[in-house]
Each structure stands twice: as C-alpha cells, then as structure tokens.
Amino acid sequence: MTQSRRMLVLRAVVEDYIRSQEPVGSTSLTKDHDLGVSSATIRNDMAALEDEGYLIQPHTSAGRVPTEKGYRYFVDRLATVVPLNEAQRRGINSFLSGSVSLKDALQRSARLLSEITGQVAVVASPSLAKATLRHVEMVPVAMNTLLAVIITDTGRVAQHGLAVDEMPVIDEVNHLSSAVNEQCDGLSLSKAGEKVRSIADSTGYEDVREVAKALADAFESMALDERANELYMSGASYLAHSRSLADLAPLFDALEEQVVLMKLMSNLSEESNASGVGVAIGSESHTPGLLHASVVSSGYGRSTNASSRHDTPTQEEGSVTGGTSNDPVAFVGSIGPTHMDYAATMAAVKAVARYLTAFISKSGPES
C-alpha cells in the first residue's frame, strides 16, 4: 500500500464529506473516484487512515468522516488558491466599486463575503498602528484650539483638537504643517510623533513649539488606540442552518469576544501559507467557542503595485506575486463549520482581500 494512494483516498473522503456532509463509504469512493483499486483495497486504506488519526467512524456500520488532522492535511495540500470564476470576480468588483467611503467598503465586503460563502464574514478596519501618515492639516477653530485633520495611507481620517495657551499666527501654523507633511510623509504614526518633536525643538519653530508637541501627542495616541480597529461582521444567521443548537451558544459567545477574534484572525493572516491565506481548524484556534468551526483569514494592505486600482485585478487570485502586500494593515476572514468548502472559502477570502488592498491603495480621504 503506497502512502500517496492512501492520501488520495483521504482527499476523496474529505471532498465527498464536504459536499454531502454524510459519512463516506468505500463503495461510493469506488463509484465516484477513479482510484484504480478495488473497494476492498479502499476499505483497507480507510482503516489505515483511521488508525493514523485522519478519519473517524461515527458508527460501526457507517462510513467515515475526516478528523481535524484529516482536514489539516487536505488544506495544506491545496497548493494554490483556485481563482473565482469570471462572473464572481465581476460581481465583487461591481459591488465594491460602488463604495463611497472606506467604512462603506468594509461593510460591503463583509456582506458580500458572507453571501458568497454562506458563512460568517469578519472584516477589520485598517490598524492605525500599522498605518503611515499621508497628510495633516491644522485649522484654528477657537481662541485656544486648533483642529488637526490627520489622513493616513489607508484612507482613514482622524480629527484631533490641539489645545494651546496662545494661538500662533496662521502663517506659522502653515509653516509647521508644511514641514510635517514634507518630513513625515510615509512614516508610521509613532515615528511621525518622534519626528514632530524633533521639528518642535529645531530652529525656526519656536512660536509653534506648543502646537507641534500637541500634534506629536495626537499622533502617538492614535498609534496606541486599539479601539481604532473596528470589526464589521455579517452572516451570523447562516450559523443556525449549519450548527446544532448545542454548538450555537458557545459559537455566538466567541463571535462576541471581538478582541479574541481580532487577535486570532490577525495572527492567522500574518502566519498565512504561500497563497496568503491562513486556516485554523477546530481546536487549532485555541478558542472554546470555535471547537467545531474553522477560521479562514487573509491580510489586506498596501498594494505591491503603487498603480493599483479597484478595477478587476489582472493577476489571478491564486497568484502569490499578485496578492496582498506582505505588510497587511488588517484582515478579512470567514468562520464556518469544519466541513466547509475550504477551497471556495479560501478563494473568496483572498479575492475580497485583494479588492480591499486595491481600494485603500487608490482611496483618498474617507468620506
């Protein structure tokens, strides 16, 4: 018995169980797959796979179903993420290209992904800690207050009030703004804070030193603000159709734990495989409520091509070089049963991540 043939049997069992959600027997494998051996040989292979922990037999007379180990082997051998078909890609482009703001794009992405997969979709807003500064404007709004409008490379916009004891003349404020925009463009918010403090202490900025230090404080507080990461979720109603009532309560509890969910999916997207998609199956999530679920996640971020647009990508979704940046600013993910269609879910997650990468690369200030 060859190990390679045995693993072809495992793959066939996983594929059939994902499709039917019924235990798979040797007779159906012989009929539906060209494995080139008899039903008796396949039974022996399935017994060996059960002994090795890849399959389990729920009832003595029933066929077998994959274990976490079986699903893991299957997922790890999905060499490339099969791209979505042309109609699906056109649908994604059409739906997301109607977005009027970053927030709208994220909400639309969650809705779309849940509809494509029939599972729970989770989309995180770009992390300010990973964003870089694009532009800042400072405008006097009261006798002792300036409003700083801070725009990041991901299209996020934040407004901060800067309190001062004495309002400097507007030309000095504009002079400071120009220096900040020239010297801090492309820096992380924490690095921009350091640079602005350096500017404040340099010659020629004595009259706006107080403003500069208040702006540096604003940059640094943005970089540390964990609440700036919002989660957009859609498709929870699909769970009721695929889970037993006993499983639903802990699963909904897990979905409510947004900090835990964010950490899990963010780590998965950063530890993804060569195709840029990470998968946690059952207990691999180390989250009790997700014991009977699988999580698929991919990062989105700065485009590998500065000229990216949110038109239909010319590269295939399965392409590594045409994928999301190696420096994700947030993630897109899907949560479903362990018997989910992994290939289709990974393709959908990857595709939506690519479109969000293109969207934020193109987007200007958030509307």
Side-chain angles (χ1 to χ4, degrees), residues 168-350:
V169 296
I170 192 63
D171 286 349
E172 293 293 336
V173 173
N174 291 340
H175 180 51
L176 174 63
S177 294
S178 297
V180 171
N181 285 322
E182 182 181 335
Q183 298 183 41
C184 299
D185 182 29
L187 295 182
S188 68
L189 292 172
S190 58
K191 291 290 185 186
E194 293 176 11
K195 175 60 73 174
V196 172
R197 291 191 191 284
S198 172
I199 293 172
D201 292 333
S202 61
T203 304
Y205 297 94
E206 293 84 0
D207 292 342
V208 285
R209 186 160 292 157
E210 186 183 13
V211 175
K213 290 184 175 177
L215 181 62
D217 288 343
F219 284 156
E220 288 160 1
S221 69
M222 285 175 66
L224 295 172
D225 188 359
E226 294 299 327
R227 293 168 302 172
N229 269 98
E230 293 180 285
L231 283 186
Y232 299 91
M233 199 174 297
S234 182
S237 60
Y238 290 122
L239 292 174
H241 303 292
S242 62
R243 310 296 316 162
S244 70
L245 288 176
D247 292 338
L248 281 179
L251 187 47
F252 278 121
D253 286 344
L255 295 178
E256 286 293 316
E257 292 288 336
Q258 293 202 355
V259 174
V260 174
L261 204 57
M262 187 175 291
K263 184 175 181 181
L264 167 64
M265 299 186 90
S266 182
N267 288 344
L268 263 185
S269 66
E270 291 173 2
E271 298 167 5
S272 57
N273 59 21
S275 64
V277 182
V279 181
I281 301 167
S283 62
E284 293 174 355
S285 69
H286 305 291
T287 306
L290 299 176
L291 263 180
H292 303 289
S294 288
V295 180
V296 177
S297 183
S298 181
Y300 69 89
R302 299 175 184 91
S303 174
T304 53
N305 182 349
S307 64
S308 284
R309 293 293 183 265
H310 61 275
D311 300 316
T312 303
T314 55
Q315 301 249 11
E316 295 297 320
E317 271 80 358
S319 164
V320 177
T321 57
T324 52
S325 164
N326 291 327
D327 184 20
V329 295
F331 63 81
V332 175
S334 186
I335 302 171
T338 51
H339 59 258
M340 71 165 61
D341 185 338
Y342 288 96
T345 300
M346 290 165 73
V349 167
K350 180 71 172 177

Side-chain angles (χ1 to χ4, degrees), residues 94-102 104-106 108-109 310 359:
S94 174
F95 192 71
L96 293 187
S97 63
S99 303
V100 296
S101 67
L102 176 62
D104 186 32
L106 299 175
R108 284 170 176 253
S109 295
H310 61 275
F359 182 89

Side-chain angles (χ1 to χ4, degrees), residues 30-105:
T30 306
K31 183 175 66 175
D32 299 336
H33 298 269
D34 184 17
L35 295 169
V37 291
S38 68
S39 180
T41 300
I42 291 175
R43 274 197 301 276
N44 289 336
D45 285 353
M46 292 174 78
L49 288 166
E50 185 176 359
D51 290 341
E52 293 168 2
Y54 291 103
L55 300 176
I56 191 170
Q57 192 171 25
H59 308 290
T60 306
S61 59
R64 290 173 174 84
V65 302
T67 61
E68 281 185 17
K69 184 178 178 181
Y71 285 125
R72 172 48 61 194
Y73 183 90
F74 175 79
V75 168
D76 287 348
R77 266 71 187 170
L78 288 173
T80 59
V81 177
V82 178
L84 300 180
N85 63 43
E86 185 59 32
Q88 288 171 316
R89 285 189 287 178
R90 278 200 307 269
I92 291 176
N93 182 57
S94 174
F95 192 71
L96 293 187
S97 63
S99 303
V100 296
S101 67
L102 176 62
K103 181 177 181 179
D104 186 32

